[in-house]
């Protein structure tokens, strides 16, 4: 089967890659359907190099923070969100979060704060802007990567204003860039099943398009391994590629495997994605997303050994130290919540790559030998 795959399906795709030609929807589906995992990895690594990639693997020294886990949406895949009445719910004031961030910075000297929240219906836009202003004042050299497109859309609904008006307020307050969460799978069928209360994909794109036009770079993501088809995965990736053609504002793409523990899907018998599927998605993402330079192997989701393998399947970023991650931990991730820089460096070197510590905008801060 692997030989037939290579001869009948992957060989023509290889020719496109070597010629610098763009892959199409049919190519993407054929790649997703292929069982020749090693051939997919080799093709993805070839594509990365043909498009100018070297042996560098990037990471950032960052911390994950959360101001509130109270959320109006009941996404069936989420184990993080709570209602205000639940005992585990919390909503921190700006001063409480800043005090914590400053204390953590004294210990870790991180260069980035990654902050996302639930869509809390009990706060207003000033709640979000205030924490940005106070963090920028307290930690002026730390990049603030805050708020998903879903949160921005929620803020616009709360305030009765446009996405652009919300983003201008947040940018003036200190917003540096945005994470890519909330994308899930763009297909309407899938969103209706897993997140019926969430905004349609068009709103996610409008937020990112608007952010890019305002000079705010963002990440993009795909949550896979639940009810989506291969065709819906490919459609998702191609829609991201189309947006990148328009604005060029996506710094990286992060494929996120669905973790079912403590969600309704666990009760329905769903299990974690296989390592083979994780590597396939990394490889196909690299092959289709020819205009997004950085593909992340998110170690906290995949585990360190699998993320190391992913560096040979097209990935060139491992995210970073990721202190205090909560969302995947709530859904059953067991890979831990922090890595030391020395551990990340060794992990990248053992894969035969060059570790590069970066800032949030991919400026190089330090480089080690392979």
């Amino acid at each position: 089967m692997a030989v037939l795959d290579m001869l009948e399906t992957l060989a023509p795709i290889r020719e496109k890659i070597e010629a610098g030609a763009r892959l199409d929807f049919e190519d993407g589906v054929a790649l997703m359907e292929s069982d020749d995992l090693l051939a997919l990895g080799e093709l993805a690594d070839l594509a990365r190099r043909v498009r100018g990639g070297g042996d560098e693997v990037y990471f950032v020294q960052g911390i994950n923070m959360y101001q509130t886990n109270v959320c109006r949406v009941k996404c069936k895949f989420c184990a993080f969100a709570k209602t205000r009445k639940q005992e585990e719910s919390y909503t921190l004031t700006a001063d409480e979060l800043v005090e914590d961030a400053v204390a953590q910075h004294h210990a870790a000297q991180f260069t980035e704060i990654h902050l996302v929240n639930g869509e809390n219906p009990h706060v207003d836009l000033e709640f979000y802007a205030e924490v940005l202003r106070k963090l920028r004042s307290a930690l002026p050299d730390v990049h603030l990567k805050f708020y998903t497109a879903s949160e921005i859309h929620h803020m616009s609904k709360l305030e009765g204003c446009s996405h652009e008006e919300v983003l201008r307020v947040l940018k003036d307050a200190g917003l540096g860039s945005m994470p890519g969460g909330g994308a899930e799978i763009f297909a309407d069928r899938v969103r209706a099943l897993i997140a019926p209360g969430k905004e349609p994909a068009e709103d996610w794109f409008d937020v990112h398009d608007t952010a890019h036009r305002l000079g705010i770079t963002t990440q993009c993501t795909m949550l896979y391994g639940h009810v989506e088809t291969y065709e819906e995965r490919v459609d998702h990736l191609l829609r991201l590629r189309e947006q990148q053609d328009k604005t060029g504002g996506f710094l990286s793409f992060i494929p996120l495997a669905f973790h079912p523990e403590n969600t309704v899907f666990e009760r329905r018998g769903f299990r974690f994605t296989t390592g083979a599927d994780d590597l396939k998605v990394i490889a196909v993402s690299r092959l289709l997303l020819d205009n997004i330079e950085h593909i992340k192997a998110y170690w906290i989701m995949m585990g360190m050994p699998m993320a190391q393998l992913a560096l040979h399947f097209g990935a060139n970023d491992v995210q970073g130290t990721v202190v205090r991650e909560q969302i995947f931990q709530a859904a059953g991730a067991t890979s831990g919540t922090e890595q030391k820089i020395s551990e990340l460096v060794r992990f990248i070197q053992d894969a035969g790559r060059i570790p590069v510590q970066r800032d949030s905008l991919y400026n190089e801060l330090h480089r080690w030998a392979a």
Side-chain angles (χ1 to χ4, degrees):
M1 178 62 73
V3 173
L4 288 176
D5 264 348
M6 178 60 79
L7 291 177
E8 298 178 8
T9 303
L10 300 185
I13 292 175
R14 170 183 283 275
E15 291 177 4
K16 283 189 174 183
I17 294 298
E18 291 176 337
R22 174 164 272 190
L23 302 185
D24 59 23
F25 180 84
E26 288 73 22
D27 295 326
V29 174
L31 290 165
M32 283 290 181
E33 291 179 341
S34 174
D35 292 325
D36 195 341
L37 189 61
L38 293 180
L40 290 177
E42 192 272 336
L43 271 180
D45 200 55
L46 172 66
R48 184 180 60 80
R49 294 184 183 280
V50 165
R51 296 166 189 165
D55 286 333
E56 292 82 4
V57 172
Y58 297 89
F59 67 90
V60 68
Q61 187 172 11
I63 185 171
N64 283 33
M65 302 192 78
Y66 310 84
Q67 195 171 3
T68 178
N69 65 348
V70 175
C71 191
R72 64 168 191 87
V73 189
K74 298 303 176 191
C75 295
K76 295 178 182 178
F77 59 82
C78 182
F80 169 77
K82 305 296 179 186
T83 66
R84 185 165 62 170
K85 293 182 179 180
Q86 288 181 280
E87 185 177 348
E88 304 92 342
S89 69
Y90 60 83
T91 300
L92 305 178
T93 67
D95 288 337
E96 287 172 330
L97 191 135
V98 170
E99 181 181 7
D100 185 21
V102 169
Q104 292 298 319
H105 189 258
H106 286 317
Q109 297 298 304
F110 49 81
T111 63
E112 172 185 291
I113 297 175
H114 176 290
L115 187 144
V116 298
N117 296 305
E119 295 183 21
N120 192 326
H122 310 293
V123 298
D124 58 13
L125 181 57
E126 175 58 21
F127 172 84
Y128 301 99
E130 181 187 19
V131 74
L132 286 166
R133 286 194 298 269
K134 290 188 173 183
L135 280 170
R136 184 172 61 178
S137 175
L139 299 170
D141 296 327
V142 173
H143 182 93
L144 304 180
K145 185 170 75 176
F146 277 41
Y147 309 135
T148 66
S150 297
E151 292 173 81
I152 301 299
H153 182 68
H154 172 63
M155 294 176 206
S156 74
K157 290 294 187 182
L158 285 175
E159 297 295 321
C161 62
S162 68
H163 295 151
E164 180 171 345
E165 289 171 302
V166 169
L167 286 166
R168 287 188 181 278
V169 168
L170 299 178
K171 184 179 181 182
D172 288 345
L175 179 68
S177 66
M178 288 172 50
E184 323 315 355
I185 293 286
F186 294 135
D188 291 339
R189 182 193 73 86
V190 175
R191 296 178 88 80
L193 289 171
I194 69 170
K198 186 162 275 188
E199 75 285 347
E202 289 72 21
D203 288 319
W204 188 95
F205 276 105
D206 185 69
V207 171
H208 283 269
D209 185 82
T210 303
H212 296 170
R213 288 190 290 103
L214 294 175
I216 303 168
T217 56
T218 70
Q219 321 293 308
C220 56
T221 63
M222 177 175 72
L223 182 73
Y224 66 92
H226 37 85
V227 301
E228 86 286 355
T229 64
Y230 282 162
E231 288 81 2
E232 287 163 338
R233 289 183 186 179
V234 173
D235 173 72
H236 184 103
L237 294 170
L238 293 184
R239 290 182 70 175
L240 291 175
R241 188 173 77 180
E242 181 182 5
Q243 178 63 45
Q244 184 75 338
D245 281 344
K246 293 176 182 176
T247 58
F250 292 133
L251 288 181
S252 66
F253 170 72
I254 311 101
L256 301 169
F258 172 59
H259 282 203
E261 193 169 305
N262 301 320
T263 75
V264 66
F265 288 100
E266 182 184 28
R267 297 192 293 275
R268 295 176 182 176
F270 279 64
R271 297 294 179 260
F272 290 97
T273 56
T274 65
D277 200 28
D278 294 338
L279 293 175
K280 176 186 286 189
V281 171
I282 289 276
V284 177
S285 300
R286 171 59 74 189
L287 288 160
L288 291 180
L289 297 176
D290 53 38
N291 54 4
I292 299 179
E293 183 176 356
H294 303 290
I295 306 292
K296 290 186 182 181
Y298 190 35
W299 66 262
I300 207 157
M301 176 269 294
M302 303 177 74
M304 291 288 279
M306 193 61 64
Q308 193 174 50
L309 276 176
L311 300 181
H312 298 279
F313 281 72
N316 68 335
D317 190 299
V318 293
Q319 179 54 33
T321 49
V322 197
V323 181
R324 295 168 132 194
E325 198 281 337
Q326 292 181 12
I327 293 175
F328 277 93
Q329 297 299 306
T334 58
S335 53
T337 61
E338 180 177 1
Q339 289 292 338
K340 304 295 185 184
I341 288 178
S342 59
E343 294 169 336
L344 287 171
V345 168
R346 178 182 56 80
F347 152 81
I348 294 167
Q349 288 173 328
D350 287 350
R353 297 289 196 251
I354 299 170
V356 177
Q357 185 178 350
R358 61 172 175 85
D359 67 10
S360 301
L361 304 179
Y362 282 88
N363 298 303
E364 183 177 319
L365 300 180
H366 188 78
R367 174 183 293 249
W368 288 260

